Amino acid sequence: MRSAVVAWTTAPLHNAGMTAAALSRRCHGASLAAATSLLAAACGGSGGGGAPTTTVVNGSLRVPQTAAAALAPIPHRPDLLMRPAEVVAWIEPGVDAVQFAGPDYELVQSGGPVAVFRSIAASQRGSLHAGAALADSCELATCHAADAIAALPGVRCAQPNYLLQATRQPNDTHFGKQWHYPQINLPQAWDLTTGSANVVVAVLDTGIKAAHPDFDPARVVPGFDMISDPSVARDGNGRDGNPEDVGDLATPQGSSFHGTHVAGTIGARSDNGSGIAGVDWACKLMHVRVLGRGGGSISDIADGILFAARLTNGSGQLPTQRADVVNMSLGGPGLSSVLQQACDAASAAGVLLVAAAGNDNTNQPSSPAAFASVLSVGAVDLLGARAPYSNFHSSIDLWAPGGDMTQDRNGDQFPDGVLSCMADDQGGFFFSFENGTSMASPHVAGVAALVKAANPALTAAQIRAVLLGNTKAGVSLPNGGRVVDALAAVQAAGATAGGPLLVAAPGAVDFGATATSATVICENRGQGAAVTASVTPAPAAPWLSVQTTETAAGNGLTNDTVTLTVDRTGLPTGVYQTRVTLVANVGAASTQVAFDVRMQVGASAGATDEVFVLLVDPLTLETYFQASALPGTGYLWNFGSIAAGQYLLVAGTDRDNDDEIGDDGEWFGAWPDLDAPAPIDAVAGSALTGLQFGLQDLVVVPGSAGAGAGAGASARRTFRRLL
């Protein structure tokens, strides 16, 4: 993992203290037990003030089990179609590309940082596609020329000037970290539609940090703050027309800003050269604030649903235009009859309701996801399997990427969470990885908006039918579940492609430590006769064998099977990874699709970090007791004789030796869950044994410099360890 910082959830959430009257963000784990709960608990007497007793508190920790294998730079590919003898290079600032022209290289194009050179030697050779041998080919000579030019001082990088017909890839800085979009064939869908400004998506959540630089004010329609209790709203009043998120103080390290993350997935600025991409690039966002300090009440959430649907509600206010889609990354166990009435009314009014199924790793229903009028969304990991925290009740209609922060299966040095917009209580803006069904739900809401954009005449019921009828396979999902497929959905809505659109399923293969074979299905869902030209791992992977089989001879790329076989014989213990790229020729051009392959040999390298476990005062956050958890013991920890009272139980590493835990680049966690902490009650003479909770590798992706106050910062509350 990279040492840079964000909060994410490893453990399933718990239901202690949850009532139907206090729904909260259980669906991704963002703050059920908020700061008010902690402060109220502290009123009964906190730790540190009494005499030592025989009270015993012990348990164990779950630590991130990531075994990252970073992808090496992809080598040049002489088998790909390219402009004959041309090399494209990126020139450093202040360097004139003209100086590199001469008897070996002709300067074809320059201006700005991009320059194109023509290799004289390569131009004198024949092409592979005209029958030349590889060793004597123009293509191989062009690759060698690219290496030579890249080595020149003042050249940042260089490669052959390939001819590609790629799916639409936004130029957002961090798009490459958003693995969750290719998983649902979203880049291919963007070739057909990127959304419509006539579609409105309402986000019922904690509100919005509107100043985040990756939100476009022109794409926001007036919303509402539906929180009726000023102490919950924390903005000095009750219901009003300003849905700005002032923070819910939900976690030990500050506010969750959950709605900002969710809204970023649905509709962040896209293809604007910075930040991340949203699922829909054009839809309007309506923010309805229903969750605050301690969560949200059924009455506030129900009125928020009615408001978004432009139906009579307790605020007495109505939006100018109702929402087409409502995303609810919120919920709680059980079925609320009042909430069901609100959902049924909104659905009858023509609104498509989408909700997160919950993070309790249970088959129990939850509100509002389980209602028939709501599209319930479960979460899958990078491989398309059920995420370990996701609920799996039979009412789940669809699955979508929610991530698994305990893994890094694509070897990008970041946890496999969903990357989106984030803020902190000090006014900083950045991007964070999170996991949960709260992250899965906005993927479906965003795709629903794309479907509506592709065919504005579709009703909510018809959009629902399109989403459910055009899906892709997951990996052994409960109840025969299927994963949302953005490309299939917009095509079913009537959007058509003008060229090839290659897809691969699954989009990632993890052989683990024992599996030896797997298959990937590749197909062309667009136009044109795509003919497979090559299937190549890069970097080279001698341990991997690749065999392509056509479903029918001469029918081009149509559900062709790529069989992968691995051989661990003689390999040292470790993780091996490559990216397999299938290139297909379409006339004079080429297009491609890629998928990651990962294999483990032997046992995973064990963690070596010492973890400090602290009991802190829930009100002052002062540390009173400390224990250590070591890898050799399986991260067991034990407090012997402590003073009776109530404590917040937190744990983390101190890799930078600053005597603080919970800061950048560290593991950190809280019992029972970082995003839903609850105090423990240590009663004199009693024992609290077997307590277990997970640690998270805190990772934040900084914002763009100058993109707003604190754009590169992440200010998190830390905890002082005892020396």
Side-chain angles (χ1 to χ4, degrees):
M1 294 296 179
R2 185 163 303 183
S3 294
V5 189
V6 140
W8 45 267
T9 303
T10 55
L13 301 179
H14 300 268
N15 293 331
M18 182 69 183
T19 66
L23 293 177
S24 300
R25 293 164 298 289
R26 308 255 330 164
C27 301
H28 111 285
S31 72
L32 268 191
T36 48
S37 301
L38 297 180
L39 297 181
C43 294
S46 61
T53 73
T54 56
T55 298
V56 173
V57 183
N58 63 41
S60 61
L61 300 171
R62 297 186 305 276
V63 300
Q65 296 297 317
T66 54
L71 292 174
I74 297 176
H76 302 316
R77 295 279 302 278
D79 58 310
L80 294 183
L81 291 175
M82 60 182 72
R83 288 188 174 177
E86 285 192 4
V87 174
V88 58
W90 188 280
I91 309 301
E92 296 286 5
V95 177
D96 190 346
V98 174
Q99 66 180 285
F100 303 124
D104 295 324
Y105 308 114
E106 175 188 357
L107 183 60
V108 177
Q109 175 186 321
S110 65
V114 177
V116 177
F117 298 92
R118 180 172 176 267
S119 167
I120 305 302
S123 66
Q124 297 171 353
R125 300 192 179 193
S127 171
L128 278 173
H129 304 282
L134 175 61
D136 299 321
S137 67
C138 169
E139 288 82 2
L140 184 60
T142 303
C143 291
H144 292 328
D147 287 334
I149 292 174
L152 295 173
V155 177
R156 183 173 301 179
C157 57
Q159 66 178 104
N161 203 3
Y162 295 116
L163 291 172
L164 298 178
Q165 292 179 339
T167 55
R168 184 160 188 177
Q169 302 286 326
N171 60 13
D172 304 87
T173 310
H174 303 303
F175 172 71
K177 302 178 184 71
Q178 295 181 284
W179 58 266
H180 34 102
Y181 290 166
Q183 186 187 59
I184 60 173
N185 296 327
L186 185 57
Q188 295 92 329
W190 286 331
D191 277 354
L192 310 184
T193 179
T194 55
S196 167
N198 295 322
V199 178
V200 177
V201 180
V203 183
L204 268 66
D205 217 291
T206 63
I208 183 67
K209 294 299 290 185
H212 194 292
D214 231 25
F215 289 128
D216 183 356
R219 291 179 55 196
V220 176
V221 298
F224 204 78
D225 179 356
M226 198 61 70
I227 301 176
S228 53
D229 185 339
S231 66
V232 174
R234 295 191 67 245
D235 58 0
N237 54 42
R239 292 179 170 178
D240 58 53
N242 182 9
E244 182 73 10
D245 188 349
V246 298
D248 54 14
L249 301 180
T251 80
Q253 295 177 298
S255 298
S256 70
F257 297 107
H258 184 259
T260 294
H261 197 278
V262 169
T265 297
I266 296 172
R269 293 181 193 260
S270 304
D271 204 31
N272 66 327
S274 66
I276 61 161
V279 174
D280 189 299
W281 300 4
C283 72
K284 296 295 178 61
L285 296 174
M286 176 194 295
H287 301 287
V288 183
R289 188 172 183 236
V290 296
L291 302 174
R293 190 174 190 175
S297 68
I298 285 179
S299 58
D300 289 349
I301 295 170
D303 275 337
I305 294 169
L306 296 175
F307 174 88
R310 208 171 184 274
L311 298 173
T312 301
N313 61 84
S315 73
Q317 303 297 313
L318 296 175
T320 302
Q321 176 185 345
R322 70 160 172 80
D324 298 287
V325 181
V326 170
N327 184 82
M328 296 179 288
S329 290
L330 51 82
L335 301 177
S336 163
S337 57
V338 172
L339 206 56
Q340 182 171 4
Q341 292 300 313
C343 290
D344 290 350
S347 178
V351 176
L352 178 64
L353 300 163
V354 183
N359 289 346
D360 297 296
N361 188 27
T362 176
N363 65 352
Q364 298 302 306
S366 64
S367 298
F371 302 144
S373 55
V374 177
L375 194 62
S376 176
V377 183
V380 297
D381 62 14
L382 183 140
L383 298 178
R386 181 179 75 89
Y389 51 80
S390 179
N391 287 355
F392 47 94
H393 188 256
S394 59
S395 61
I396 293 178
D397 300 297
L398 202 56
W399 297 77
D404 179 1
M405 297 286 289
T406 68
Q407 301 292 334
D408 177 18
R409 287 193 170 102
N410 61 358
D412 65 355
Q413 306 300 294
F414 291 98
D416 293 341
V418 171
L419 184 63
S420 189
C421 303
M422 186 49 68
D424 60 34
D425 290 303
Q426 288 69 40
F429 303 118
F430 46 96
F431 305 94
S432 75
F433 292 94
E434 305 279 350
N435 65 190
T437 55
S438 274
M439 282 63 257
S441 182
H443 282 81
V444 173
V447 173
L450 292 178
V451 170
K452 181 71 172 178
N455 188 344
L458 292 179
T459 66
Q462 290 171 326
I463 295 173
R464 179 185 178 119
V466 165
L467 292 172
L468 296 179
N470 299 274
T471 57
K472 58 180 291 186
V475 177
S476 302
L477 292 176
N479 307 307
R482 304 275 294 181
V483 177
V484 65
D485 187 329
L487 174 60
V490 297
Q491 286 182 316
T496 57
L501 292 172
L502 302 190
V503 298
V509 176
D510 188 353
F511 285 96
T514 58
T516 57
S517 65
T519 58
V520 174
I521 305 299
C522 298
E523 63 176 313
N524 175 21
R525 294 195 193 168
Q527 303 299 313
V531 179
T532 302
S534 63
V535 185
T536 309
W543 47 270
L544 176 67
S545 299
V546 182
Q547 178 66 47
T548 304
T549 304
E550 274 199 287
T551 55
N555 71 343
L557 186 61
T558 306
N559 290 323
D560 287 359
T561 299
V562 179
T563 302
L564 307 172
T565 306
V566 297
D567 183 0
R568 299 179 177 84
T569 304
L571 294 178
T573 296
V575 174
Y576 297 79
Q577 185 149 344
T578 188
R579 176 167 294 150
V580 176
T581 301
L582 182 145
V583 177
N585 292 337
V586 185
S590 65
T591 186
Q592 64 186 40
V593 65
F595 51 90
D596 292 323
V597 179
R598 180 179 182 272
M599 177 191 70
Q600 183 173 314
V601 177
S604 297
T608 59
D609 291 273
E610 179 182 8
V611 176
F612 300 95
V613 185
L614 311 181
L615 291 174
V616 304
D617 189 296
L619 182 61
T620 66
L621 303 183
E622 180 182 356
T623 300
Y624 284 116
F625 300 98
Q626 176 176 299
S628 289
L630 300 173
T633 67
Y635 284 103
L636 297 173
W637 50 268
N638 180 65
F639 291 96
S641 180
I642 65 171
Q646 289 185 319
Y647 301 92
L648 193 64
L649 177 60
V650 299
T653 57
D654 186 20
R655 294 164 175 162
D656 56 4
N657 295 312
D658 65 351
D659 302 326
E660 303 283 341
I661 69 170
D663 48 355
D664 294 6
E666 306 284 1
W667 288 351
F668 183 71
W671 187 89
D673 183 86
L674 180 58
D675 291 324
I680 64 169
D681 193 1
V683 178
S686 67
L688 295 172
T689 61
L691 300 182
Q692 186 186 73
F693 58 100
L695 302 182
Q696 306 173 5
D697 198 352
L698 301 182
V699 178
V700 153
V701 177
S704 302
S714 170
R716 298 185 177 277
R717 180 183 295 127
T718 59
F719 296 81
R720 188 79 173 174
R721 69 179 179 90
L722 301 178
L723 302 179

